[in-house]
Amino acid sequence: MGRRGRLTVYLGAAPGVGKTYAMLSEAARRRDRGTDVVVGLVETHDRVRTAAMLEGLEVLPRRVVEHLGARFEEMDTDAVLQRRPEVVLVDELAHTNLPGGRHEKRAGDVAELLAAGIDVVTTVNIQHLESLNDEVLRITGVRQRETVPDEVVRTADQIQLVDMPPEALRRRMAHGNIYRPERIDASLTSFFRVGNLTALRELALLWLADRVDDALGDYRRAHDIEQSWPTKERIVVAVTGGTESETLLRRGARLAQRAAGAELMAVNVIASDGLAGVPESRLGRVQQLVVSLGGSFHTVSGEDVASAVVDFAQGANATMVVVGVSRHGRLRRLVAGTTGDRIAAAAGAIDVHLVTHGQVSGSARRRPLAVLSPLSRRRQATGLVLALLLPALITPGLRAFQDTDQLPLAEMALLAGTVVVALVGGLLPALLAAVVSFLALNWFFTPPFGTFTIAEPPNLLSLLVYVAVAVGVATVVDRASRRAGDAVRARTEAAAMSSLSRSVLTGQDTAEAITQRVREVFAQRSVALLVRTPSGWEGVAASGDDPPGAPGEADTQVAVDDDRVLALRGAPLRAEDRRVLEGFALQTSLVLEYRRLREREERAAALEGAEATSTALLRAVSHDLRTPLATMRAAVDGLVGGGTALAGSDRSELLAALGDSTDQLESLIDNLLDLSRLQTGLLRPVLRERSLEEVLPLAVAGHPPGAVRLELAEDAPLLCTDTGFLERVVANLVANAVRVSDGTPVQVMVHDEPDTVTVLVVDRGPGVPRDRRAHMFEPFQRLSDGSPGGLGLGLAVSQGLATALGGTLEAEDTPGGGLTMVLTLPRRGVA
């Protein structure tokens, strides 16, 4: 594979800044160094200094294109490929080529030259980049019709920004160095206002800065550079989803605003064990706040939060990490440290900004003891009872043994009881059981018996070890119980969210499907999706009996967004189930937004298709309707101007031409009307029992003798069809076949099947290549016969009429050469 050419782009901040002049200056320098440089296409726009720069450069001739009766010049790509210079200059990269070229855009010609190993130097203005089209419209009020995808410019080997202060550019405009004198005043008061030029200049600088930043990232990855290079302010905010996250994000946004072009990124760390974390609804609100502040939201997974945040910041080449002060109490911060401290220790060259907030240490002091255990009050109460009851039951049983040393056995038995209490009631009852067991061991099994005095030091050490082991085992058992419960809840939540995701992926993303899914998952009596309107709440969808009509009528409600609510009637939900429901609400919001975007996309596609059809229609009508009209006008002028002096033969010839042109024009208009009615569904068949013997002879009539050979048996089959539709289809097919047959008779045959009737129109013409058959039934597609007087609608109309009759129309090869059109119709018509 040969070398690919290098692309150099001169990016102009605005028209007239001198990008073409700069490109020509570069060409002159390369020419002086001995490089083979040619000019493929340069637009001087009658600027004297720019035109002077062409002197001494080889300029290739342009390709002349005729369009709508006028002559235009385009770059001759074939001439450049044949010349094969080292470097070619191609001006105005975003230019749209006229119809007839190999590529729709000049960027396609440039890509072909690069693929051939030719270096290309080109120019483009910032307002012509596709991603900035809407921004330029808002700034200047002018929609740029010619655009180029950003990727074409972004992947260039070299980009040179050509810039000029707005005041200097306006002076150039006023001196007549950009536009002709008659356009100067209008341009200075519209597009070339100081504000517009300043905004375009900033757009160019920011876009090019992003391109340089991408190149820097590629370089760091290629050379395995992990440490941060502070080339651009990037502020990473570590968020948990708690209420303090909003404070951290707003502080990070203020820090980002102090540096132009700074980026704000929020990162949330999910525990890699897959257990449930912060509710989805909270994270959803955090994401919305990040977007409103102009930042981006990221989620990473990791066992250690501090390490995960630092790894993300280093990978993003961040300059600062914003983290909140720990919410834990002083004792835990003293023993275990804080996430902020660990981030600061591992951040290296990245600055760490600690932000205080209203949640600092307050939550730890205010938490009731009940939240120390995730178990229900009933299980905790049962555990407390067992903590007193089990030692009371175990101790008399052990006392029944007459062995002299019962302490080891008693310790093991009471330790087993402590484990049972931990499994039932959690940590606090287990600690109580350990204390009670310690007292029982001291009183009943440690000499002197019946007192809390311990005579022998080994016994004291044994009891202390027992208490330590009992507390440790109770803690481990309690944590394992918590983790098991969290895992079950996480699995339940994952299954519930997976069911909603499956309904989305399978296309069941309607509001009715969502309410049905919520009712099934949460075992509710009824569920309704309500939307807020100026007149009150209205139901979008509902499932179940007697759905609520307003949020106040529901037993449980959760907000989907600012204007939608999921309202449930049924058994109250547990806290864990409500968290899953909030996740459902967030997913519902995404589903509804996705459906709205999909509907908008479908409408846009329909409008785009209609626009394409209209454009093709205008192009076709401008040429093909003009021909019969011109003939008719010439015939009428001849008849009127000649008067009685016209010979009889001339008069007959003019009248015949007038009649033929009228028929041709009538046929074109009929096809246009039929196509319009078919596309809008207004053309409907009227089905009646008819014999093909009544229809086909009329359909093949009107052709020269011997041009068509109809093969129809005397017992022609009956079928339920619309005579006009069928006759029109066959007539169009026969007319096309006769036109390409070059005198060879066209055969029209009928095959009778039990449920269908097939009409074959066989010609011996050049046929149609297989790769074109997929498009031959599309509107405004002409076949290779190149015949005049048609819009390319005949086959499109024929297929539409065949479909309306419940049949199909296909093209097949004729054995020995040619094309066979196969029309298959049901005997009983459309259902």
Side-chain angles (χ1 to χ4, degrees), residues 56-134:
L57 293 174
E58 179 183 351
V59 181
L60 296 180
R62 301 187 184 186
R63 179 172 59 92
V64 178
V65 180
E66 292 189 2
H67 181 63
L68 300 179
R71 295 168 61 88
F72 301 91
E73 291 183 344
E74 295 279 16
M75 182 179 69
D76 193 339
T77 306
D78 291 329
V80 178
L81 293 172
Q82 185 176 2
R83 170 65 173 76
R84 294 197 64 84
E86 294 182 57
V87 181
V88 61
L89 308 185
V90 181
D91 208 0
E92 298 182 358
L93 180 64
H95 172 75
T96 301
N97 292 328
L98 292 172
R102 284 200 300 271
H103 305 285
E104 180 183 0
K105 292 279 191 176
R106 186 167 292 164
D109 297 318
V110 168
E112 185 176 355
L113 296 176
L114 293 172
I118 302 173
D119 294 348
V120 178
V121 183
T122 187
T123 64
V124 68
N125 280 330
I126 190 66
Q127 71 264 24
H128 294 298
L129 295 182
E130 181 66 41
S131 66
L132 302 179
N133 196 253
D134 292 337

